[in-house]
Amino acid sequence: MKILQVTYFGTTTNYGAVLQAFALQKALRELGHEPVLLRADFTYCNKIKKWYKSPFNALKAWRQQQSIRREELHHPRRFAEFIQTHMAVTGEQYHTIREVRRASWDDFDAMVTGSDQVWSNKKPSPLFFLNFGPKNILRFSYAASVGTKAHSSTQYLDDFRNAVRNFTAISVREHNALELCEKAGVPATLCPDPVFLFSPADYEKALHLPPRSQEKKTCLIYLVSKNAASATEEVYRYCREHQLTPISVNSQNHAACAHQMGEEIYPDIPGWIQHIRDAELVVTDSFHGSAFSILFGKKLVIFPKKDYDARLDMLDRCFGIGPAICRGDFQQAVAFQPDYSAIREKIAMFREEGFRFLRDALRHPAAITRKNCCGCSLCAEICPKHCITMVPDECGFSVPKIDEAQCIGCDLCRKSCPLNQPESPARTDSPYFYAIGKDKDAVQNSSSGGIFPLLAARTLNAGGIVAGVKFDEKWNAVLDTIDTIGQLKLLQGSKYVQSLIAPGLFGRLKAALEQGKQVLFSGTPCQISAFRHFLKDQNYPNLLLVEVLCHGAPSPEIWQSYLRYLAQKNNFELPQIYSVSFRNKRDGWHDYALHLEDAAGKTLYHCIHKKDLYCQLFIRNLTLRDSCYHCAAKAGRSGADLALGDFWKLKKIAPELDTPSGASIVIACTEKGAAAFQQVPCEKLKEMSATACLQKFTAFFASAKKNENADRFFATWKKGGKQWVTDPLFYKTRKKGLIRRILGL
């Protein structure tokens, strides 16, 4: 899932602001998502506002900004370099909310705001309340902070409630923010700041910190507020008495508190963390300075800021470091020894809670899109209340829709989802076979070597059930069952469109298995995986799982729009269609064609795949579901017993075996699958080298690669009222493919 991360970015001197954004990105990546930080710097815009309100304040802000720029020029801390190296950011930088709203955010599946004081303004900021972008995008907050005081006026509560109405999940960082949400009637969860989501060892590894230095004992002083300047003399005296070398991290307000501070440093972000890690004592008034000191188990003194600081109150409530907050008596604060054994246990618990919140927020029904859902229908099939239905999204791909009124919150749908399971090992050592069935009619009516109908016939003759893909009366592909030999032709042949699961199919098949009937289940890798998870991996000896080697799943609505286009162009009505074949062999196996006939056997449309528009878009990966580009069920991970497909690379592996009628590649993934395959009568059968096949034949273990124009194709299709796209841009022959054909590669 691609997630837009919205937090404070327009700063060059705030270590904590960058590190909390870095930590949240790292957490989201570890959960398998693709976070991108929004580069939004409203400094210039805010400066203009200050000018209107007070020329003096505007001049003051301008001078401060110039001071920061001079500092960076003479003492570079390489913040930009850190962000470029360790974080993903938007290409554009935005300076006003108008620019943000004008930009397109259609590529993103979710937005998250937090932490820091993103909700500290007297009036909710449209930027940090994610008031931009598509309406149907998932919005949530992680550890959002309201800063020093939570506003409680009726007007602010109304504004706040209205600002978060589109959020699907809200977590805040401080207790006063939690109280604000309660007053506004908004459900919220307390979560730790993102920097607590990782251990000291995680930071050392991620930022490549050198080993700890034992050369000298240091006291690190990181004070960002002028109000703490009066305490510097006491700190310096303590350092002399305890033989500590004072080191002052220069901040934007350093001039007010730099006297007698010893060595002055300008570290980059890894260096800043390193100095905290190596210090004997940390003196700070910064929230993130305190947070990293607690993470690394340091003795610390915290100077509160002039106003009441809810952030320090949160640290005290969570970790019991209240006595380290210096409210006048420095000696008393520095004498305090935090119980870090208990603190580490609490941090581990908070870390688990933080990751749990992120997982749950990103599994919300609103977060389910064709990018993070394969459309396998397991959630709908397994729901005990049957409150989940599969509905088409804006691109025609089926996604689950939950009836919240009927949902009992059992969470079975999320727990069972194949995409939420640990990845099983790949099976690259399975034996590969070249095969052609003996039944010539079966071979002619099949896409390649006719192995599937022989396997299916064996099951049907034993009184069993076969599940496979067939067309319904409107030419939608549906995964359903047959129980007679006469129906077998319905399942033969490839269907280059994602199939829908017939309602209740998994339950009916499970009942048949428990009755002792033979069941053959044929489907794409994700459908095989879904059915296996529905059965909870129970091993039924009377079940054979047959995976179809899958190139990818095209949109059903794209297919329907193409049928309408063909009917209009070729002057026939849709009800006239009696049969559809994506792999008609009239012109040979290699020149297979999309073929439509009426009930009398008259050809309504016939075009070889090299010239057919629909086939070309499919082959070029322009109409596939996004989840197909990172399929989690490839390489035998689906749990199938057998994998069947077209042996397209046969010319390169064994040219002497190539045949004009087509050949199947059969991969025996389990002993049960190998035993079933050995009972199939084959005219030509030869075991191939797995090594040779893996080098030339990638369909079994590799996902399709997304075409760079795929998003543009769908956008064009939707803009045109979901009618067939005739833009020649999408049908031009690729130069690479043309050159390869000329050279005969």
Side-chain angles (χ1 to χ4, degrees):
M1 184 185 298
K2 193 172 182 181
I3 305 171
L4 184 67
Q5 182 184 359
V6 184
T7 187
Y8 280 107
F9 183 86
T11 176
T12 55
T13 60
N14 193 319
Y15 295 95
V18 176
L19 280 167
Q20 60 87 16
F22 163 76
L24 185 55
Q25 274 209 5
K26 179 174 169 62
L28 292 171
R29 283 199 194 98
E30 291 195 1
L31 292 174
H33 302 287
E34 183 187 348
V36 179
L37 181 65
L38 176 68
R39 295 177 61 210
D41 183 1
F42 290 1
T43 306
Y44 180 74
C45 181
N46 291 335
K47 199 184 298 179
I48 293 175
K49 291 180 181 178
K50 287 183 179 181
W51 176 262
Y52 282 115
K53 289 183 178 180
S54 169
F56 175 75
N57 286 340
L59 180 62
K60 184 179 176 182
W62 179 81
R63 290 183 62 184
Q64 185 181 37
Q65 192 71 17
Q66 294 305 309
S67 174
I68 292 171
R69 288 175 179 172
R70 284 195 298 270
E71 230 175 65
E72 285 295 311
L73 182 64
H74 295 292
H75 304 285
R77 307 183 196 194
R78 299 193 289 277
F79 273 54
E81 180 181 323
F82 176 88
I83 292 169
Q84 183 178 2
T85 303
H86 294 90
M87 300 170 69
V89 297
T90 57
E92 295 289 330
Q93 179 158 328
Y94 303 92
H95 300 91
T96 66
I97 187 63
R98 181 178 295 180
E99 290 180 2
V100 174
R101 283 174 171 164
R102 284 178 176 175
S104 173
W105 306 106
D106 292 336
D107 290 343
F108 290 87
D109 306 297
M111 295 182 184
V112 58
T113 186
S115 67
D116 264 358
Q117 302 176 64
V118 290
W119 291 349
S120 64
N121 296 331
K122 292 181 180 179
K123 186 176 181 181
S125 166
L127 179 70
F128 298 125
F129 282 91
L130 310 179
N131 187 9
F132 61 92
K135 290 183 179 180
N136 59 347
I137 201 170
L138 179 75
R139 291 171 170 83
F140 69 100
S141 70
Y142 181 80
S145 171
V146 299
T148 55
K149 293 182 180 179
H151 307 287
S152 57
S153 68
T154 303
Q155 182 61 50
Y156 182 82
L157 291 176
D158 289 342
D159 291 342
F160 179 81
R161 190 183 304 108
N162 186 57
V164 298
R165 70 185 185 280
N166 292 324
F167 280 59
T168 55
I170 294 175
S171 73
V172 293
R173 194 176 65 182
E174 291 98 24
H175 292 83
N176 68 327
L178 195 62
E179 293 168 6
L180 169 67
C181 292
E182 290 175 358
K183 289 179 181 178
V186 175
T189 304
L190 193 68
C191 280
D193 188 272
V195 300
F196 287 109
L197 294 175
F198 299 98
S199 67
D202 293 329
Y203 285 105
E204 289 178 329
K205 182 179 179 181
L207 303 181
H208 309 291
L209 299 188
R212 294 173 184 253
S213 173
Q214 303 294 332
E215 293 182 3
K216 58 183 178 181
K217 295 182 178 181
T218 61
C219 170
L220 184 71
I221 303 158
Y222 180 55
L223 300 171
V224 298
S225 171
K226 293 180 180 179
N227 301 317
S230 59
T232 56
E233 192 170 335
E234 282 190 87
V235 176
Y236 188 69
R237 188 185 305 117
Y238 179 87
C239 291
R240 282 184 301 177
E241 291 173 358
H242 292 80
Q243 288 79 50
L244 299 178
T245 302
I247 298 177
S248 175
V249 175
N250 194 303
S251 69
Q252 63 188 44
N253 296 315
H254 73 285
C257 37
H259 68 290
Q260 291 190 328
M261 294 307 285
E263 182 183 353
E264 196 170 69
I265 58 174
Y266 303 81
D268 58 9
I269 288 176
W272 183 77
I273 296 180
Q274 180 186 344
H275 280 292
I276 291 178
R277 181 198 66 181
D278 296 345
E280 294 290 321
L281 171 68
V282 177
V283 177
T284 185
D285 61 349
S286 156
F287 170 80
H288 284 106
S290 304
F292 276 97
S293 300
I294 293 170
L295 267 173
F296 282 94
K298 313 308 309 182
K299 186 180 183 65
L300 78 159
V301 175
I302 305 171
F303 285 97
K305 294 183 179 179
K306 186 176 181 179
D307 297 328
Y308 169 78
D309 197 335
R311 297 171 296 174
L312 297 186
D313 176 68
M314 184 275 288
L315 293 177
D316 185 19
R317 288 199 195 188
C318 293
F319 307 118
I321 49 86
I325 301 175
C326 182
R327 304 189 186 278
D329 190 339
F330 176 80
Q331 294 299 327
Q332 182 179 346
V334 78
F336 174 67
Q337 295 286 346
D339 182 4
Y340 276 114
S341 60
I343 287 175
R344 279 190 288 271
E345 291 180 5
K346 289 184 179 179
I347 291 176
M349 181 180 67
F350 293 151
R351 185 176 298 136
E352 185 178 340
E353 290 176 356
F355 273 105
R356 185 186 302 118
F357 173 85
L358 288 172
R359 288 192 191 95
D360 290 346
L362 292 166
R363 290 175 185 168
H364 188 277
I368 300 173
T369 69
R370 65 183 184 278
K371 296 181 181 179
N372 60 9
C373 167
C374 61
C376 68
S377 297
L378 174 60
C379 53
E381 292 289 300
I382 208 168
C383 176
K385 288 294 182 180
H386 307 291
C387 63
I388 302 177
T389 53
M390 302 300 290
V391 297
D393 68 1
E394 72 279 4
C395 290
F397 294 103
S398 59
V399 294
K401 182 180 180 181
I402 300 176
D403 183 351
E404 298 289 349
Q406 299 293 324
C407 179
I408 59 174
C410 66
D411 209 32
L412 192 59
C413 53
R414 297 175 189 171
K415 292 176 182 176
S416 303
C417 177
L419 300 185
N420 292 334
Q421 309 304 319
E423 188 176 88
S424 56
R427 298 176 180 175
T428 55
D429 57 346
S430 302
Y432 285 59
F433 294 91
Y434 153 83
I436 300 177
K438 283 189 175 181
D439 189 329
K440 293 183 179 180
D441 288 337
V443 172
Q444 187 61 32
N445 292 322
S446 297
S447 297
S448 50
I451 302 301
F452 168 74
L454 298 177
L455 288 167
R458 175 174 165 270
T459 301
L460 294 170
N461 288 332
I465 297 174
V466 175
V469 178
K470 58 184 178 181
F471 284 119
D472 65 10
E473 65 279 1
K474 294 183 179 179
W475 301 107
N476 296 302
V478 180
L479 181 60
D480 207 345
T481 59
I482 62 168
D483 53 14
T484 65
I485 291 290
Q487 298 172 308
L488 186 53
K489 283 188 177 182
L490 297 175
L491 306 187
Q492 286 184 254
S494 299
K495 280 84 174 176
Y496 290 158
V497 58
Q498 184 164 36
S499 58
L500 307 173
I501 307 294
L505 173 67
F506 290 178
R508 286 187 277 122
L509 291 176
K510 183 179 180 182
L513 288 168
E514 291 175 348
Q515 292 169 11
K517 290 185 177 182
Q518 294 289 324
V519 173
L520 185 153
F521 184 95
S522 173
T524 59
C526 59
Q527 291 169 341
I528 297 285
S529 179
F531 185 51
R532 185 171 55 83
H533 282 96
F534 181 85
L535 299 176
K536 299 180 180 178
D537 283 332
Q538 186 173 346
N539 184 22
Y540 288 91
N542 52 331
L543 171 65
L544 185 67
L545 297 173
V546 179
E547 172 186 315
V548 177
L549 294 188
C550 180
H551 176 78
S555 163
E557 287 196 20
I558 293 285
W559 162 240
Q560 289 295 323
S561 69
Y562 188 60
L563 280 180
R564 293 192 297 269
Y565 167 76
L566 288 182
Q568 182 180 10
K569 185 179 179 182
N570 295 278
N571 299 314
F572 64 83
E573 299 293 330
L574 290 178
Q576 289 181 249
I577 302 174
Y578 181 76
S579 69
V580 172
S581 172
F582 283 98
R583 299 284 299 281
N584 183 277
K585 297 179 181 179
R586 190 171 79 184
D587 302 305
W589 181 51
H590 291 287
D591 287 327
Y592 64 87
L594 176 59
H595 184 84
L596 277 62
E597 283 186 0
D598 64 12
K602 178 184 176 182
T603 299
L604 299 175
Y605 176 77
H606 182 92
C607 185
I608 63 171
H609 71 281
K610 296 174 184 177
K611 296 182 179 180
D612 180 73
L613 302 182
Y614 183 87
C615 291
Q616 283 303 300
L617 292 180
F618 167 68
I619 292 169
R620 297 176 189 181
N621 304 340
L622 280 160
T623 57
L624 307 186
R625 192 181 186 108
D626 286 83
S627 59
C628 296
Y629 303 122
H630 45 86
C631 179
K634 285 281 187 179
R637 295 186 177 94
S638 67
D641 299 305
L642 286 172
L644 302 179
D646 304 286
F647 212 146
W648 291 121
K649 302 292 182 178
L650 191 59
K651 272 188 176 181
K652 297 182 179 180
I653 298 172
E656 70 280 3
L657 296 176
D658 194 27
T659 170
S661 62
S664 295
I665 185 168
V666 182
I667 304 170
C669 302
T670 66
E671 291 182 4
K672 184 199 293 186
F677 175 58
Q678 292 301 328
Q679 298 177 30
V680 171
C682 292
E683 186 178 84
K684 293 185 179 180
L685 173 66
K686 182 176 181 180
E687 185 169 352
M688 313 293 289
S689 164
T691 304
C693 289
L694 284 170
Q695 289 175 348
K696 300 290 185 181
F697 197 89
T698 61
F700 177 59
F701 61 89
S703 298
K705 292 183 179 180
K706 187 172 183 178
N707 190 302
E708 60 183 7
N709 287 319
D711 292 334
R712 185 175 177 182
F713 172 82
F714 278 107
T716 305
W717 179 69
K718 288 186 291 183
K719 189 176 180 181
K722 297 189 176 181
Q723 297 303 313
W724 184 249
V725 176
T726 56
D727 187 340
L729 166 70
F730 303 111
Y731 309 105
K732 290 181 179 178
T733 303
R734 292 174 295 182
K735 292 180 180 179
K736 181 179 178 181
L738 179 62
I739 293 172
R740 292 183 66 177
R741 284 197 294 273
I742 292 173
L743 297 178
L745 299 177

